[in-house]
Amino acid sequence: MTPPDGFDEFVISRSPRLLRTAYLLTHDRALAEDLLQTALARAWEAWSRVQGDPEPYVRRILVNTYASWWRRRWSGERPTGELPEPPAEPDPHSRFDDREQLWRALGRLPRRQRAVLVLRYFEDLSETEIGDTLGCSPGTVKSQASKALAKLRLDETLSPEGALA
Amino acid sequence: MNETDLRTVLAERSAGHAPAVDAERLAGVRRRVARRRLRRRGTAVAGATLALVAIGGVAAARTDPAPPPAGPPAPTAAPDPTVDGFPQWDDAVRALASARITLPARTGRLTVTPTTLDLVVATSCPAPDRSVGLEIRVNGRPFSTATCGAGLSTTADGWRRLGVRVGRPSVLTFRAGGADDGTGGRLPMPATGAFGVAVGERVQPVDD
């Protein structure tokens, strides 16, 4: 099975960045690799129709695949069937703990809200670019980001100093 | 902590992946493409959704009579076949058994006879925003209390501890309730809707 022209080179050069995004979405390294390979496989079949830089296209597949996994996530299993550990008591004097709690709080956000924050604060995309990626308007992106930040701000596991300003 | 800290957390957390093994990733992508093509060919030729369950040699017990699956899909541009809202195939997992409940019923049950202990439990619900929780038991033993929509699994040893054995029927029961709201309370249940739980097993990938 021969890959389309430029596909392998794209995978080799762009996967590290896309994998980081996938990890921020899934919070699980195995799932991140699963998500990335799923997105790349879907991109493979549309490769000839992609014009210009394929990365935004692949990122869009990746994010939307992640967002839809809630309803068809056979391959998105967690490594165990156990309940996630409850968050530890926050230590307001520890920056490490603040970041740990923020990471866990991010994991409790609804998927699309988490995706908006990842695209905004990790990928540094504009609201318009995020809207293009998620298939929604910039206004919706702004609303989702606002709700996500508000949830983090109100998350009780984050110390007052840790709350997002 | 402010938005700068948010950026820092995202940058820190996403770093530190082991160096990617490009050959393995490329091979994985090829396997997925091959499976997708094989699945599409199978869909076009075979069609009947439940036939795959029959081929798998398993039976699903339903809590309520579900409508029969649709007839053979169109040969082209057909959606993936589903049972109780679950894909019959997704990547390397094949659905074995599923059950669906419709409110006001809150409990369901299914029986599965696995051919491997490489199993996955999938859940589906009408509300995407984590408002429903599902308590799942396997052979009467607690398996998970998960937010609806989650995919769940455990190791082969974990399945054995739950009494699951290859070739023998196991019973999975589930009960729906409002999900934890994060403050010790429960989110209200939707007024209407249906919930589903399915069990699938991984199959060896087929490569071209």
Side-chain angles (χ1 to χ4, degrees):
Chain A
M1 193 164 55
T2 307
D5 285 347
F7 183 84
D8 283 3
E9 293 78 6
F10 174 86
V11 172
I12 292 168
S13 64
R14 306 295 182 88
S15 283
R17 178 73 182 184
L18 290 166
L19 184 62
R20 292 181 73 176
T21 300
Y23 176 68
L24 293 175
L25 295 172
T26 61
H27 284 210
D28 181 287
R29 296 196 187 282
L31 283 182
E33 183 67 41
D34 189 19
L35 176 60
L36 174 60
Q37 290 190 19
T38 298
L40 289 169
R42 291 176 181 174
W44 169 308
E45 301 195 80
W47 200 254
S48 62
R49 301 193 297 274
V50 179
Q51 297 182 341
D53 183 3
E55 186 166 330
Y57 178 75
V58 176
R59 186 185 297 113
R60 188 166 64 201
I61 297 175
L62 188 144
V63 173
N64 286 292
T65 299
Y66 161 76
S68 65
W69 261 359
W70 68 269
R71 57 176 173 263
R72 44 167 302 163
R73 229 181 91 173
W74 277 118
S75 56
E77 73 274 20
R78 294 168 184 168
T80 71
E82 307 297 329
L83 284 173
E85 290 183 10
E89 288 295 317
D91 176 1
H93 304 294
S94 167
R95 300 290 290 173
F96 174 81
D97 277 356
D98 279 349
R99 289 177 181 173
E100 177 64 25
Q101 297 301 342
L102 178 55
W103 174 246
R104 293 186 183 207
L106 280 166
R108 290 190 288 271
L109 291 177
R111 287 168 182 252
R112 288 182 75 83
Q113 290 182 15
R114 196 191 310 176
V116 166
L117 292 191
V118 168
L119 294 174
R120 180 72 188 91
Y121 294 106
F122 177 69
E123 295 285 2
D124 274 328
L125 299 186
S126 68
E127 289 171 352
T128 300
E129 290 169 325
I130 296 171
D132 289 343
T133 300
L134 292 172
C136 61
S137 69
T140 300
V141 171
K142 192 171 184 178
S143 166
Q144 292 281 304
S146 177
K147 286 179 183 176
L149 292 174
K151 284 185 181 176
L152 294 180
R153 205 175 291 129
L154 295 172
D155 195 298
E156 291 183 349
T157 65
L158 295 175
S159 63
E161 300 91 313
L164 285 163
Chain B
M1 192 175 294
N2 51 36
E3 292 179 6
T4 301
D5 293 310
L6 180 55
R7 289 181 192 277
T8 302
V9 167
L10 294 174
E12 285 179 350
R13 287 290 181 159
S14 65
H17 276 276
V21 181
D22 295 324
E24 288 183 8
R25 179 169 297 134
L26 288 167
V29 173
R30 283 181 173 82
R31 280 195 296 272
R32 286 162 195 266
V33 172
R35 281 199 302 266
R36 287 168 64 85
R37 291 176 178 177
L38 186 66
R39 192 167 56 198
R40 279 201 295 270
R41 287 199 295 270
T43 299
V45 174
T49 302
L50 286 180
L52 288 171
V53 174
I55 290 169
V58 297
R62 299 171 186 278
T63 54
D64 58 350
T76 58
D80 290 342
T82 60
V83 178
D84 289 330
F86 294 96
Q88 188 65 58
W89 288 85
D90 193 25
D91 288 332
V93 176
R94 177 181 60 188
L96 292 180
S98 58
R100 184 177 176 86
I101 58 174
T102 303
L103 287 170
R106 292 205 179 188
T107 60
R109 180 178 188 273
L110 65 86
T111 301
V112 60
T113 304
T115 62
T116 171
L117 291 184
D118 201 356
L119 298 170
V120 178
V121 175
T123 61
S124 75
C125 53
D129 265 357
R130 303 181 170 201
S131 62
V132 179
L134 284 176
E135 179 187 333
I136 301 172
R137 288 176 171 265
V138 177
N139 296 322
R141 301 167 193 175
F143 171 60
S144 176
T145 303
T147 301
C148 195
L152 302 160
S153 186
T154 186
T155 62
D157 280 344
W159 290 117
R160 288 189 196 97
R161 284 195 293 272
L162 292 165
V164 179
R165 299 289 184 273
V166 169
R168 295 183 188 174
S170 284
V171 176
L172 185 150
T173 56
F174 58 97
R175 181 167 58 87
D180 189 338
D181 67 359
T183 65
R186 294 282 169 185
L187 296 170
M189 287 278 287
T192 60
F195 311 91
V197 172
V199 178
E201 64 182 16
R202 287 191 180 278
V203 295
Q204 291 301 311
V206 179
D207 213 343
D208 277 357

